[in-house]
mmCIF file of all heavy atoms in Angstrom:
data_model
loop_
_atom_site.group_PDB
_atom_site.id
_atom_site.type_symbol
_atom_site.label_atom_id
_atom_site.label_comp_id
_atom_site.label_asym_id
_atom_site.label_seq_id
_atom_site.Cartn_x
_atom_site.Cartn_y
_atom_site.Cartn_z
ATOM 1 N N GLU V 192 11.859 9.944 -3.965
ATOM 2 C CA GLU V 192 10.678 9.456 -4.675
ATOM 3 C C GLU V 192 10.222 7.926 -4.269
ATOM 4 O O GLU V 192 9.055 7.622 -4.011
ATOM 5 C CB GLU V 192 10.733 9.568 -6.200
ATOM 6 C CG GLU V 192 9.430 9.322 -6.933
ATOM 7 C CD GLU V 192 9.568 9.554 -8.398
ATOM 8 O OE1 GLU V 192 10.282 10.686 -8.779
ATOM 9 O OE2 GLU V 192 8.957 8.862 -9.189
ATOM 10 N N GLU V 193 11.177 7.099 -4.323
ATOM 11 C CA GLU V 193 10.889 5.782 -3.803
ATOM 12 C C GLU V 193 10.482 5.684 -2.438
ATOM 13 O O GLU V 193 9.604 4.797 -1.997
ATOM 14 C CB GLU V 193 12.090 4.862 -4.177
ATOM 15 C CG GLU V 193 12.402 4.646 -5.660
ATOM 16 C CD GLU V 193 13.705 3.858 -5.955
ATOM 17 O OE1 GLU V 193 14.451 3.728 -4.938
ATOM 18 O OE2 GLU V 193 13.830 3.535 -7.055
ATOM 19 N N GLU V 194 11.103 6.576 -1.644
ATOM 20 C CA GLU V 194 10.721 6.423 -0.138
ATOM 21 C C GLU V 194 9.173 6.978 -0.105
ATOM 22 O O GLU V 194 8.551 6.429 0.803
ATOM 23 C CB GLU V 194 11.593 7.315 0.710
ATOM 24 C CG GLU V 194 11.302 7.329 2.168
ATOM 25 C CD GLU V 194 11.246 5.849 2.810
ATOM 26 O OE1 GLU V 194 12.029 5.074 2.391
ATOM 27 O OE2 GLU V 194 10.283 5.647 3.722
ATOM 28 N N ARG V 195 8.776 8.016 -0.832
ATOM 29 C CA ARG V 195 7.527 8.401 -0.752
ATOM 30 C C ARG V 195 6.456 7.346 -1.132
ATOM 31 O O ARG V 195 5.508 7.140 -0.620
ATOM 32 C CB ARG V 195 7.360 9.665 -1.717
ATOM 33 C CG ARG V 195 6.139 10.444 -1.512
ATOM 34 C CD ARG V 195 6.253 11.669 -2.583
ATOM 35 N NE ARG V 195 5.171 11.346 -3.516
ATOM 36 C CZ ARG V 195 5.382 11.568 -4.876
ATOM 37 N NH1 ARG V 195 6.566 11.982 -5.233
ATOM 38 N NH2 ARG V 195 4.498 11.383 -5.752
ATOM 39 N N VAL V 196 6.829 6.512 -2.224
ATOM 40 C CA VAL V 196 5.950 5.406 -2.695
ATOM 41 C C VAL V 196 5.928 4.359 -1.567
ATOM 42 O O VAL V 196 4.908 3.875 -1.281
ATOM 43 C CB VAL V 196 6.557 4.854 -3.896
ATOM 44 C CG1 VAL V 196 5.847 3.519 -4.392
ATOM 45 C CG2 VAL V 196 6.323 5.888 -5.092
ATOM 46 N N ASN V 197 7.004 4.032 -1.010
ATOM 47 C CA ASN V 197 7.108 2.960 -0.003
ATOM 48 C C ASN V 197 6.267 3.346 1.247
ATOM 49 O O ASN V 197 5.485 2.555 1.760
ATOM 50 C CB ASN V 197 8.564 2.659 0.453
ATOM 51 C CG ASN V 197 9.310 1.921 -0.626
ATOM 52 O OD1 ASN V 197 8.696 1.166 -1.385
ATOM 53 N ND2 ASN V 197 10.560 2.152 -0.568
ATOM 54 N N GLU V 198 6.177 4.606 1.562
ATOM 55 C CA GLU V 198 5.447 5.155 2.766
ATOM 56 C C GLU V 198 3.871 5.042 2.332
ATOM 57 O O GLU V 198 3.183 4.588 3.154
ATOM 58 C CB GLU V 198 5.840 6.605 3.133
ATOM 59 C CG GLU V 198 4.965 7.186 4.218
ATOM 60 C CD GLU V 198 5.155 6.444 5.458
ATOM 61 O OE1 GLU V 198 6.141 5.815 5.731
ATOM 62 O OE2 GLU V 198 4.296 6.743 6.396
ATOM 63 N N LEU V 199 3.648 5.392 1.166
ATOM 64 C CA LEU V 199 2.176 5.186 0.741
ATOM 65 C C LEU V 199 1.753 3.719 0.693
ATOM 66 O O LEU V 199 0.653 3.576 1.231
ATOM 67 C CB LEU V 199 1.929 5.784 -0.683
ATOM 68 C CG LEU V 199 0.599 5.673 -1.370
ATOM 69 C CD1 LEU V 199 -0.440 6.279 -0.443
ATOM 70 C CD2 LEU V 199 0.702 6.111 -2.726
ATOM 71 N N ILE V 200 2.530 2.918 0.174
ATOM 72 C CA ILE V 200 2.133 1.470 0.261
ATOM 73 C C ILE V 200 2.001 0.969 1.678
ATOM 74 O O ILE V 200 1.101 0.193 2.008
ATOM 75 C CB ILE V 200 3.161 0.632 -0.522
ATOM 76 C CG1 ILE V 200 3.002 0.990 -2.008
ATOM 77 C CG2 ILE V 200 3.063 -0.832 -0.300
ATOM 78 C CD1 ILE V 200 4.089 0.426 -2.885
ATOM 79 N N ARG V 201 2.864 1.385 2.655
ATOM 80 C CA ARG V 201 2.726 1.040 3.981
ATOM 81 C C ARG V 201 1.318 1.541 4.561
ATOM 82 O O ARG V 201 0.626 0.782 5.378
ATOM 83 C CB ARG V 201 3.815 1.615 5.037
ATOM 84 C CG ARG V 201 5.114 0.713 4.906
ATOM 85 C CD ARG V 201 6.075 1.167 5.939
ATOM 86 N NE ARG V 201 6.647 2.424 5.750
ATOM 87 C CZ ARG V 201 7.676 2.731 4.923
ATOM 88 N NH1 ARG V 201 8.361 1.667 4.312
ATOM 89 N NH2 ARG V 201 8.150 3.937 4.819
ATOM 90 N N ILE V 202 1.021 2.734 4.241
ATOM 91 C CA ILE V 202 -0.277 3.336 4.746
ATOM 92 C C ILE V 202 -1.468 2.494 4.065
ATOM 93 O O ILE V 202 -2.318 2.276 4.915
ATOM 94 C CB ILE V 202 -0.308 4.835 4.388
ATOM 95 C CG1 ILE V 202 0.672 5.602 5.258
ATOM 96 C CG2 ILE V 202 -1.742 5.363 4.635
ATOM 97 C CD1 ILE V 202 0.899 7.039 4.727
ATOM 98 N N LEU V 203 -1.340 2.308 2.849
ATOM 99 C CA LEU V 203 -2.441 1.563 2.231
ATOM 100 C C LEU V 203 -2.667 0.117 2.925
ATOM 101 O O LEU V 203 -3.760 -0.247 3.176
ATOM 102 C CB LEU V 203 -2.204 1.406 0.787
ATOM 103 C CG LEU V 203 -2.384 2.668 -0.093
ATOM 104 C CD1 LEU V 203 -1.862 2.385 -1.500
ATOM 105 C CD2 LEU V 203 -3.761 3.292 -0.076
ATOM 106 N N LYS V 204 -1.620 -0.536 3.074
ATOM 107 C CA LYS V 204 -1.658 -1.886 3.663
ATOM 108 C C LYS V 204 -2.214 -1.890 4.982
ATOM 109 O O LYS V 204 -2.957 -2.786 5.471
ATOM 110 C CB LYS V 204 -0.253 -2.628 3.645
ATOM 111 C CG LYS V 204 0.140 -2.873 2.207
ATOM 112 C CD LYS V 204 1.553 -3.734 2.292
ATOM 113 C CE LYS V 204 1.950 -4.273 0.957
ATOM 114 N NZ LYS V 204 3.219 -4.877 0.874
ATOM 115 N N ASN V 205 -1.781 -0.925 5.833
ATOM 116 C CA ASN V 205 -2.175 -0.778 7.224
ATOM 117 C C ASN V 205 -3.786 -0.441 7.181
ATOM 118 O O ASN V 205 -4.473 -0.965 8.016
ATOM 119 C CB ASN V 205 -1.470 0.291 7.910
ATOM 120 C CG ASN V 205 -0.149 -0.149 8.450
ATOM 121 O OD1 ASN V 205 0.107 -1.376 8.607
ATOM 122 N ND2 ASN V 205 0.795 0.709 8.647
ATOM 123 N N THR V 206 -4.134 0.493 6.287
ATOM 124 C CA THR V 206 -5.613 0.868 6.250
ATOM 125 C C THR V 206 -6.391 -0.345 5.731
ATOM 126 O O THR V 206 -7.459 -0.635 6.455
ATOM 127 C CB THR V 206 -5.785 1.971 5.052
ATOM 128 O OG1 THR V 206 -5.036 3.064 5.552
ATOM 129 C CG2 THR V 206 -7.186 2.459 5.071
ATOM 130 N N ILE V 207 -5.872 -1.182 4.893
ATOM 131 C CA ILE V 207 -6.603 -2.438 4.474
ATOM 132 C C ILE V 207 -6.821 -3.352 5.675
ATOM 133 O O ILE V 207 -7.865 -3.766 5.839
ATOM 134 C CB ILE V 207 -5.895 -3.051 3.318
ATOM 135 C CG1 ILE V 207 -6.111 -2.115 2.005
ATOM 136 C CG2 ILE V 207 -6.377 -4.419 2.939
ATOM 137 C CD1 ILE V 207 -5.142 -2.545 0.881
ATOM 138 N N ARG V 208 -5.710 -3.519 6.354
ATOM 139 C CA ARG V 208 -5.832 -4.361 7.429
ATOM 140 C C ARG V 208 -6.675 -4.017 8.560
ATOM 141 O O ARG V 208 -7.467 -4.787 9.119
ATOM 142 C CB ARG V 208 -4.419 -4.693 8.054
ATOM 143 C CG ARG V 208 -4.224 -5.655 9.194
ATOM 144 C CD ARG V 208 -2.691 -5.845 9.724
ATOM 145 N NE ARG V 208 -2.139 -4.563 10.083
ATOM 146 C CZ ARG V 208 -2.407 -3.844 11.124
ATOM 147 N NH1 ARG V 208 -3.178 -4.277 12.014
ATOM 148 N NH2 ARG V 208 -1.785 -2.644 11.300
ATOM 149 N N LEU V 209 -6.618 -2.706 8.849
ATOM 150 C CA LEU V 209 -7.437 -2.031 10.001
ATOM 151 C C LEU V 209 -8.899 -2.123 9.713
ATOM 152 O O LEU V 209 -9.695 -2.067 10.621
ATOM 153 C CB LEU V 209 -6.887 -0.700 10.348
ATOM 154 C CG LEU V 209 -5.509 -0.612 11.033
ATOM 155 C CD1 LEU V 209 -5.095 0.903 11.080
ATOM 156 C CD2 LEU V 209 -5.534 -1.304 12.371
ATOM 157 N N THR V 210 -9.205 -2.090 8.422
ATOM 158 C CA THR V 210 -10.661 -2.037 8.085
ATOM 159 C C THR V 210 -11.222 -3.413 7.809
ATOM 160 O O THR V 210 -12.365 -3.556 7.367
ATOM 161 C CB THR V 210 -10.878 -1.192 6.827
ATOM 162 O OG1 THR V 210 -10.025 -1.599 5.750
ATOM 163 C CG2 THR V 210 -10.649 0.268 7.071
ATOM 164 N N GLY V 211 -10.415 -4.503 8.059
ATOM 165 C CA GLY V 211 -10.927 -5.758 8.029
ATOM 166 C C GLY V 211 -10.896 -6.547 6.629
ATOM 167 O O GLY V 211 -11.485 -7.548 6.373
ATOM 168 N N PHE V 212 -9.984 -5.947 5.752
ATOM 169 C CA PHE V 212 -9.897 -6.547 4.497
ATOM 170 C C PHE V 212 -8.409 -7.105 4.408
ATOM 171 O O PHE V 212 -7.623 -6.900 5.184
ATOM 172 C CB PHE V 212 -10.031 -5.459 3.316
ATOM 173 C CG PHE V 212 -11.522 -4.939 3.263
ATOM 174 C CD1 PHE V 212 -11.832 -3.912 3.909
ATOM 175 C CD2 PHE V 212 -12.409 -5.614 2.443
ATOM 176 C CE1 PHE V 212 -13.165 -3.482 3.947
ATOM 177 C CE2 PHE V 212 -13.685 -5.284 2.300
ATOM 178 C CZ PHE V 212 -14.046 -4.194 3.000
ATOM 179 N N GLU V 213 -8.174 -7.760 3.308
ATOM 180 C CA GLU V 213 -6.824 -8.314 3.059
ATOM 181 C C GLU V 213 -6.598 -7.977 1.559
ATOM 182 O O GLU V 213 -7.340 -8.023 0.749
ATOM 183 C CB GLU V 213 -6.693 -9.738 3.439
ATOM 184 C CG GLU V 213 -7.476 -10.738 2.567
ATOM 185 C CD GLU V 213 -7.285 -12.121 3.058
ATOM 186 O OE1 GLU V 213 -6.431 -12.792 2.418
ATOM 187 O OE2 GLU V 213 -8.106 -12.636 3.872
ATOM 188 N N LEU V 214 -5.231 -7.733 1.326
ATOM 189 C CA LEU V 214 -4.770 -7.533 -0.059
ATOM 190 C C LEU V 214 -4.506 -8.818 -0.737
ATOM 191 O O LEU V 214 -3.853 -9.739 -0.252
ATOM 192 C CB LEU V 214 -3.478 -6.658 0.162
ATOM 193 C CG LEU V 214 -2.838 -6.182 -1.138
ATOM 194 C CD1 LEU V 214 -3.832 -5.222 -1.887
ATOM 195 C CD2 LEU V 214 -1.537 -5.538 -0.852
ATOM 196 N N LEU V 215 -5.106 -8.921 -1.913
ATOM 197 C CA LEU V 215 -4.992 -10.169 -2.656
ATOM 198 C C LEU V 215 -3.993 -10.041 -3.764
ATOM 199 O O LEU V 215 -3.524 -11.092 -4.166
ATOM 200 C CB LEU V 215 -6.389 -10.566 -3.158
ATOM 201 C CG LEU V 215 -7.450 -10.883 -2.175
ATOM 202 C CD1 LEU V 215 -8.835 -11.192 -2.916
ATOM 203 C CD2 LEU V 215 -7.075 -12.011 -1.274
ATOM 204 N N ASN V 216 -3.744 -8.970 -4.287
ATOM 205 C CA ASN V 216 -2.849 -8.753 -5.442
ATOM 206 C C ASN V 216 -1.852 -7.525 -5.082
ATOM 207 O O ASN V 216 -2.055 -6.807 -4.149
ATOM 208 C CB ASN V 216 -3.639 -8.478 -6.612
ATOM 209 C CG ASN V 216 -4.293 -9.662 -7.250
ATOM 210 O OD1 ASN V 216 -3.776 -10.737 -7.307
ATOM 211 N ND2 ASN V 216 -5.610 -9.380 -7.506
ATOM 212 N N ARG V 217 -0.782 -7.476 -5.932
ATOM 213 C CA ARG V 217 0.283 -6.401 -5.701
ATOM 214 C C ARG V 217 -0.489 -5.171 -6.060
ATOM 215 O O ARG V 217 -1.391 -4.865 -6.693
ATOM 216 C CB ARG V 217 1.275 -6.675 -6.775
ATOM 217 C CG ARG V 217 2.148 -7.949 -6.574
ATOM 218 C CD ARG V 217 3.185 -7.995 -7.594
ATOM 219 N NE ARG V 217 4.112 -6.780 -7.665
ATOM 220 C CZ ARG V 217 5.322 -6.805 -7.107
ATOM 221 N NH1 ARG V 217 5.817 -7.972 -6.642
ATOM 222 N NH2 ARG V 217 6.076 -5.836 -7.280
ATOM 223 N N ILE V 218 0.113 -4.072 -5.406
ATOM 224 C CA ILE V 218 -0.268 -2.670 -5.603
ATOM 225 C C ILE V 218 0.538 -2.178 -6.656
ATOM 226 O O ILE V 218 1.781 -2.286 -6.739
ATOM 227 C CB ILE V 218 -0.139 -1.924 -4.286
ATOM 228 C CG1 ILE V 218 -0.945 -2.444 -3.167
ATOM 229 C CG2 ILE V 218 -0.386 -0.380 -4.509
ATOM 230 C CD1 ILE V 218 -0.789 -1.784 -1.735
ATOM 231 N N GLU V 219 -0.094 -1.538 -7.629
ATOM 232 C CA GLU V 219 0.524 -0.870 -8.737
ATOM 233 C C GLU V 219 0.208 0.572 -8.797
ATOM 234 O O GLU V 219 -1.079 0.950 -8.762
ATOM 235 C CB GLU V 219 0.108 -1.563 -10.144
ATOM 236 C CG GLU V 219 0.922 -1.110 -11.231
ATOM 237 C CD GLU V 219 0.569 -1.914 -12.533
ATOM 238 O OE1 GLU V 219 0.263 -3.173 -12.364
ATOM 239 O OE2 GLU V 219 0.542 -1.293 -13.492
ATOM 240 N N LEU V 220 1.159 1.512 -8.769
ATOM 241 C CA LEU V 220 0.990 2.904 -8.756
ATOM 242 C C LEU V 220 1.703 3.595 -9.959
ATOM 243 O O LEU V 220 2.710 3.146 -10.370
ATOM 244 C CB LEU V 220 1.552 3.497 -7.434
ATOM 245 C CG LEU V 220 0.887 2.889 -6.221
ATOM 246 C CD1 LEU V 220 1.757 3.319 -4.982
ATOM 247 C CD2 LEU V 220 -0.446 3.283 -5.987
ATOM 248 N N ARG V 221 1.054 4.731 -10.380
ATOM 249 C CA ARG V 221 1.769 5.508 -11.389
ATOM 250 C C ARG V 221 1.803 6.976 -10.779
ATOM 251 O O ARG V 221 0.717 7.484 -10.481
ATOM 252 C CB ARG V 221 1.029 5.489 -12.695
ATOM 253 C CG ARG V 221 1.799 6.417 -13.623
ATOM 254 C CD ARG V 221 1.244 6.477 -15.047
ATOM 255 N NE ARG V 221 -0.247 6.465 -15.176
ATOM 256 C CZ ARG V 221 -0.866 5.624 -15.957
ATOM 257 N NH1 ARG V 221 -0.168 4.780 -16.593
ATOM 258 N NH2 ARG V 221 -2.227 5.536 -16.013
#
């Protein structure tokens, strides 16, 4: 489950970077 969450966070961060945005705060998931 933790690996699944880590993979999702990597994908989100890459998507944010590739679309020209930057992440300003922590990602919180439930």
Side-chain angles (χ1 to χ4, degrees):
E192 187 173 320
E193 287 177 351
E194 182 55 38
R195 195 175 108 224
V196 169
N197 289 335
E198 179 65 19
L199 174 59
I200 290 173
R201 276 192 294 273
I202 291 168
L203 291 172
K204 287 180 176 180
N205 284 334
T206 302
I207 290 167
R208 183 181 50 80
L209 290 171
T210 56
F212 291 91
E213 63 182 271
L214 183 63
L215 299 177
N216 292 309
R217 294 178 59 107
I218 296 174
E219 187 173 327
L220 303 168
R221 179 178 36 233

